[in-house]
Amino acid sequence: MSDKTEKNVQMENIVSLAKRRGFIYPGSDVYGGLSGTWDYGPLGVQLKRNIMQLWWKMFVDDRDDMHGVDAAILMNQNVWKASGHVDTFTDPLVEDLETKQRFRADHLVKDAGFAVDGLSNSELNELIIEKQIKSPNGNELSEVRTFNMMFTTTVGPVADEKSVSYLRPETAQGIFTNYKNVVDTLYPDLPFGLAQQGKAFRNEISPRDFIFRSREFEQMEIEYFVNPANWEESFSALLKDIHAYLEALGLPADKIHELEVPENDRAHYSKRTIDIEYDFPIGREELLGLAYRTDFDLKNIHENAGKSMEYTVKGTNERFIPHVIEPSFGVERAIMAVLSAAYREDEVNGEKRIYLAFPEHLAPVKYCVSPLLKNKPELVAKAREVYMILKKKHGNVMWDDNGNIGKRYRRQDEIGTPHCVVIDFESLEDNSVTVRDRDTTEQRRVSIESLNG
Ligand code: ATP
């Protein structure tokens, strides 16, 4: 199998497992779907929460220089005018002249084997003509034009220019607009960060690669406010913290790469950007970004909203608009990386087995509890007892008494449950149970008491 096909197969296996076992379903599936949207099932929502809560713990709870905010998704349209999104949050669009299907021009040019970084629309256009690049259906393409990716809506009963608003395309602006509120209420010392998790919406021209490029997704962002004299120190420290988080997600270090974004490719306000890329099954792609955004955003608010964004260093007369370092994580991309890092196939007792080797703290189900036989009331009663003890302690514990033990183990392997506990006749005698390990498939005999320890 070629490398590319192998990768596609791995991706397809993950997508199919995700649907089959209740992690992630295509959005609005019963009505034929809605492209670029995904719904999380019982296991997916738990995995997603574990990933987001770990982030919140490592970046907010465990630190004394970070605070959380949770801003509204709908914001005053001036936010997006001042930030530049109304004018420049665009992607290059081309249309298949036969089918009228639309594609990202830069993606088609890149897929045809040419570098696209920093190319303008007219340069993309020239390349498409010169290299005779066609649509994926083999048809001629239209001219490249600019497409704004924000979803527009109107707020209130009258739809006019003044009532226009947008579904936020990033969570960052909801942090910047609350910077002054937090300084006025908490007056934290610099440097300090404001963190937010929440939905973001982008009308991607061609959503693709499972949840990697969605139209509705979730972000985890920090705006870290610094004295401009010390930005480099904070940039390096945050980069280190990012790697610590990725390690806690169980991502292998050799699949994580730092890409120093060259100047002509960076947003005009950014003085330094590092994209963290990951070797996904679809290839090496951006997982998250770390950008030094200078004072671009706060200065915009300072000038456009007419409110001072200056910070006065405590006990001095030193006043300035803080500069900002922004780590920006995409939850869906983190989930996709975690799923692909955890996906394993091996052979047990001559049979092919699929399992998800999640780190224990991310596993959506921590324990599965079963009575050896489902028609023996005394075993079922004892197993319910153990189930309740574990459920009280860990929350997400599953009960499974269907089929034989081997089948139960396979089902739990596929959803990444680290421990399966089986209650048998011996358990009734001596209060011991069998605990089977997902990765090694080894079984240990332990006391019920030690499970609760
Ligand atoms: P890309 O170049 O892949 O479109 P981007 O550079 O536009 O991404 P940013 O604007 O820096 O992305 O957004 C920060 C993070 O949000 C990204 O690193 C990614 O993890 C996530 N993200 C952005 N767009 C999407 C999307 N359409 N679907 C899922 N996650 C996304």
Side-chain angles (χ1 to χ4, degrees), residues 333-378:
R333 292 189 189 180
I335 294 172
M336 194 158 134
V338 166
L339 278 174
S340 54
Y343 186 88
R344 309 275 154 84
E345 288 179 9
D346 66 1
E347 217 173 82
V348 175
N349 302 331
E351 260 182 56
K352 186 182 146 194
R353 161 176 96 127
I354 294 174
Y355 68 107
L356 292 174
F358 291 132
E360 179 151 352
H361 54 274
L362 295 185
V365 178
K366 306 267 182 267
Y367 282 87
C368 172
V369 181
S370 300
L372 180 65
L373 300 168
K374 124 185 200 183
N375 56 1
K376 295 284 175 210
E378 63 277 34

Side-chain angles (χ1 to χ4, degrees), residues 175-176 179 183 189-194 222-232 234-235 238 269-272 291-300 309-311 313 319-327:
I175 301 180
F176 289 122
Y179 151 83
V183 171
D189 287 327
L190 282 183
F192 72 90
L194 296 182
I222 293 164
E223 304 308 328
Y224 198 73
F225 300 96
V226 301
N227 183 324
N230 308 326
W231 76 267
E232 275 161 315
S234 294
F235 192 97
L238 284 166
Y269 49 76
S270 169
K271 286 253 177 73
R272 187 175 182 200
Y292 170 36
R293 296 176 72 115
T294 67
D295 58 355
F296 174 77
D297 304 273
L298 287 187
K299 211 158 119 201
N300 265 338
M309 294 293 123
E310 283 182 331
Y311 180 94
V313 179
R319 282 159 77 88
F320 53 85
I321 296 181
H323 281 216
V324 165
I325 320 280
E326 179 194 73

Side-chain angles (χ1 to χ4, degrees), residues 104 202 204 211-214 217 219 286-289 328-330 332-333:
R104 278 263 301 257
R202 297 183 186 181
E204 295 280 355
I211 52 175
F212 181 86
R213 190 169 299 287
S214 311
F217 56 98
Q219 288 186 317
E286 177 179 328
L287 173 60
L288 65 107
S328 174
F329 296 73
E332 276 65 17
R333 292 189 189 180

Side-chain angles (χ1 to χ4, degrees), residues 36 85 89 91 104 106-107 149 169-170 200-204 207-208 210-221 273 275-276 285-290 293 326-334:
H85 283 80
F89 194 62
D91 269 342
R104 278 263 301 257
D106 52 339
H107 285 171
M149 288 199 289
E170 60 172 33
F201 304 82
R202 297 183 186 181
N203 199 359
E204 295 280 355
R208 61 181 190 177
F210 190 33
I211 52 175
F212 181 86
R213 190 169 299 287
S214 311
R215 287 184 168 136
E216 176 176 341
F217 56 98
E218 205 129 6
Q219 288 186 317
M220 310 185 281
E221 295 195 298
T273 298
D275 281 348
I276 305 287
E285 297 286 352
E286 177 179 328
L287 173 60
L288 65 107
L290 175 68
R293 296 176 72 115
E326 179 194 73
S328 174
F329 296 73
V331 176
E332 276 65 17
R333 292 189 189 180

Side-chain angles (χ1 to χ4, degrees), residues 99-292:
T99 65
K100 305 294 172 211
Q101 250 181 306
R102 288 161 175 199
F103 301 97
R104 278 263 301 257
D106 52 339
H107 285 171
L108 295 188
V109 173
K110 193 173 168 200
D111 290 348
F114 303 99
V116 290
D117 292 344
L119 292 189
S120 67
N121 281 2
S122 57
E123 286 164 329
L124 283 170
N125 223 7
E126 277 166 27
L127 260 177
I128 288 175
I129 296 167
E130 192 187 317
K131 307 292 178 192
Q132 301 189 346
I133 296 170
K134 302 275 187 299
S135 88
N137 311 313
N139 302 322
E140 295 292 325
L141 292 167
S142 69
E143 262 202 20
V144 180
R145 64 185 174 87
T146 300
F147 173 75
N148 193 300
M149 288 199 289
M150 283 199 294
F151 283 98
T152 308
T153 186
T154 51
V155 176
V158 183
D160 62 13
E161 245 177 55
K162 281 195 222 127
S163 65
V164 167
S165 185
Y166 305 92
L167 298 186
R168 67 180 177 203
E170 60 172 33
T171 58
Q173 294 305 321
I175 301 180
F176 289 122
T177 47
N178 280 293
Y179 151 83
K180 183 78 177 125
N181 287 336
V182 177
V183 171
D184 287 349
T185 46
L186 296 184
Y187 203 177
D189 287 327
L190 282 183
F192 72 90
L194 296 182
Q196 177 168 226
Q197 299 185 328
K199 291 272 189 180
F201 304 82
R202 297 183 186 181
N203 199 359
E204 295 280 355
I205 294 168
S206 42
R208 61 181 190 177
D209 297 325
F210 190 33
I211 52 175
F212 181 86
R213 190 169 299 287
S214 311
R215 287 184 168 136
E216 176 176 341
F217 56 98
E218 205 129 6
Q219 288 186 317
M220 310 185 281
E221 295 195 298
I222 293 164
E223 304 308 328
Y224 198 73
F225 300 96
V226 301
N227 183 324
N230 308 326
W231 76 267
E232 275 161 315
E233 208 177 287
S234 294
F235 192 97
S236 309
L238 284 166
L239 185 58
K240 224 169 126 212
D241 300 335
I242 287 171
H243 282 289
Y245 174 67
L246 298 182
E247 192 185 337
L249 288 184
L251 306 185
D254 62 348
K255 290 195 167 183
I256 298 167
H257 310 277
E258 286 180 12
L259 175 78
E260 184 77 51
V261 180
E263 193 181 344
N264 66 339
D265 237 3
R266 288 198 299 260
H268 60 95
Y269 49 76
S270 169
K271 286 253 177 73
R272 187 175 182 200
T273 298
I274 290 184
D275 281 348
I276 305 287
E277 299 189 319
Y278 185 73
D279 293 324
F280 291 96
I282 54 166
R284 186 174 297 181
E285 297 286 352
E286 177 179 328
L287 173 60
L288 65 107
L290 175 68
Y292 170 36

